[in-house]
Amino acid sequence: MQRSTISLIAEQLIAENWVLEGPTGRLPRGRRPTFLRLNDERVIIGVDIRPVQTTVALADANGKFISQESMVTSSDPKIAVKGLIECIERMKRLCGGKMIEGIGISLPGRFDHSTDRLVFAPNLAWRNVDLRNPIVKETGLEVELENAANACVLAAVWFDRMEECPNLVVVTVSEGIGTGILANGKLVRGVHGMAGEFGHVPLDSNGPACGCGGRGCWEVFASNRAALRYYMESGSDSGGLDFQDLLSRAERGDTRAAKALETMAQYLGRGMRMIVAGLAPECIVVVGDLTRCWHRFGGVIEAEVQAQVLPGGCAPRLIPAYEDGMARLRGTVALVLQKHFSS
Ligand SMILES: [Zn+2]
């Protein structure tokens, strides 16, 4: 950009109070430059709704988290929304005089922007739910909603400086598998916001039943739940075990736990071949608890992807993202920021 263009943009952001002027610097000659910084008196409330747990957090415009609270996600959306509003009100009281820019919500399913409804969330029993209006009405704040994987794409672009990577896919691996697609620098949503459902492409039509109504989808072989199933099938005692426990057991030398996670990782890589063949991204960002053991399983995923790269193509860079919950929360902050800055 031209210097004059940058000055114009900066002036506008200063006028809007998004950016503050700091001290002046020194140069050997010419005008002394003024340092600029984002105004951290402007805050954002981020909500990460997941099938089991919902997290509400308060962050400043730099994506730094100030406060955080978690609750169980109710299977009844009305109860869930009520609890959410109460929690948001508590966060508002924590803000003091800070200005709240809005609420960003990440969803474990697809959000249809044309009808303003959560349309496809196979791991959450909410159907055709309007989340925006009750929250706007009660809190008086603007609300931005987006699929979790899409929110993570925005987080990668906003906070991880991935803008030099215009073809990027985020794969979120938790109860299910979601993908968010950045193609030619643009987020791909598709009709009804349904783009990116690679997790529900069947790899084996005789495979286990899936929450979407189909069988043998990629996610029933490569999600956290799949790893727990592999572990159970190996005859190990898995009563009350969750995915974090499974990771800990693998780290402590439980070979069956390690094998279960390795199988999951193999399927993750195998499924990613669809993404590589279809979209040829420069990088795939993996979001999920599995990344905590990336040193053990990252290579397994990579080997599977590389085992079948088409002639002329090249394997994408695989990048483990921040801790699962953190990536999604940063996505909710990016959701609100991009609305203000995208123009
Ligand atoms: Zn499915």
Side-chain angles (χ1 to χ4, degrees):
M1 278 187 203
Q2 296 281 334
R3 281 187 116 172
S4 55
T5 313
I6 294 169
S7 292
L8 270 177
I9 295 170
E11 270 169 36
Q12 193 185 336
L13 291 172
I14 292 165
E16 290 172 4
N17 207 23
W18 274 107
V19 166
L20 298 177
E21 286 181 292
T24 47
R26 282 178 186 280
L27 283 179
R29 67 178 77 90
R31 234 172 75 190
R32 299 178 84 189
T34 306
F35 289 110
L36 302 177
R37 61 185 171 88
L38 278 170
N39 182 358
D40 53 17
E41 288 294 302
R42 303 184 82 150
V43 294
I44 290 142
I45 295 177
V47 179
D48 175 26
I49 300 178
R50 302 177 63 164
V52 180
Q53 182 175 283
T54 296
T55 305
V56 181
L58 189 65
D60 67 24
N62 297 294
K64 206 177 100 205
F65 288 91
I66 306 158
S67 179
Q68 197 169 313
E69 200 180 307
S70 291
M71 62 188 124
V72 172
T73 305
S74 170
S75 55
D76 180 342
K78 279 211 177 87
I79 296 173
V81 168
K82 190 169 167 279
L84 204 54
I85 290 167
E86 286 166 4
C87 190
I88 291 168
E89 292 297 339
R90 281 196 292 280
M91 288 286 166
K92 278 168 76 176
R93 285 194 288 276
L94 282 178
C95 291
K98 293 184 179 180
M99 183 167 171
I100 306 171
E101 290 307 324
I103 302 171
I105 303 182
S106 119
L107 298 162
R110 294 292 155 181
F111 183 74
D112 185 350
H113 287 264
S114 61
T115 59
D116 219 17
R117 290 285 192 281
L118 175 64
V119 283
F120 179 73
N123 295 310
L124 183 67
W126 300 1
R127 291 288 167 269
N128 209 19
V129 179
D130 173 16
L131 287 165
R132 187 196 305 275
N133 288 312
I135 298 174
V136 170
K137 196 168 150 245
E138 292 297 325
T139 64
L141 293 167
E142 284 187 50
V143 175
E144 302 302 317
L145 297 121
E146 189 55 270
N147 164 263
N150 288 356
C152 290
V153 169
L154 293 175
V157 174
W158 271 90
F159 298 118
D160 297 333
R161 313 206 165 166
M162 297 287 281
E163 67 268 24
E164 81 282 8
C165 190
N167 297 289
L168 170 152
V169 175
V170 168
V171 178
T172 57
V173 188
S174 56
E175 289 86 355
I177 291 182
T179 69
I181 304 163
L182 191 75
N184 301 331
K186 291 232 166 5
L187 191 63
V188 177
R189 289 206 176 93
V191 178
H192 299 306
M194 288 293 288
E197 284 302 335
F198 290 101
H200 294 284
V201 175
L203 298 187
D204 174 7
S205 52
N206 297 314
C210 177
C212 71
R215 278 192 169 276
C217 297
W218 181 26
E219 80 169 36
V220 299
F221 294 109
S223 63
N224 294 1
R225 286 178 182 173
L228 288 166
R229 192 180 70 242
Y230 299 139
Y231 188 61
M232 200 183 73
E233 285 167 359
S234 72
S236 302
D237 170 30
S238 55
L241 195 82
D242 68 15
F243 190 72
Q244 315 265 0
D245 302 330
L246 190 64
L247 286 174
S248 308
R249 285 195 187 188
E251 285 293 67
R252 287 201 307 266
D254 180 336
T255 50
R256 284 173 173 175
K259 184 81 194 106
L261 290 163
E262 208 179 294
T263 308
M264 170 194 177
Q266 276 166 348
Y267 272 107
L268 266 175
R270 218 166 285 174
M272 281 178 193
R273 292 177 190 165
M274 294 188 276
I275 296 170
V276 177
L279 298 163
E282 283 125 5
C283 33
I284 295 180
V285 178
V286 181
V287 176
D289 291 323
L290 186 71
T291 57
R292 285 203 284 129
C293 291
W294 193 255
H295 57 285
R296 297 184 71 141
F297 305 110
V300 179
I301 303 173
E302 229 153 42
E304 282 295 323
V305 176
Q306 278 170 354
Q308 206 187 52
V309 175
L310 297 170
C314 61
R317 205 152 45 97
L318 288 186
I319 304 169
Y322 271 71
E323 185 219 327
D324 193 2
M326 226 48 210
R328 291 165 190 243
L329 281 173
R330 289 159 87 237
T332 64
V333 176
L335 265 179
V336 175
L337 287 177
Q338 63 126 25
K339 190 178 160 251
H340 287 281
F341 283 82
S342 57
S343 60

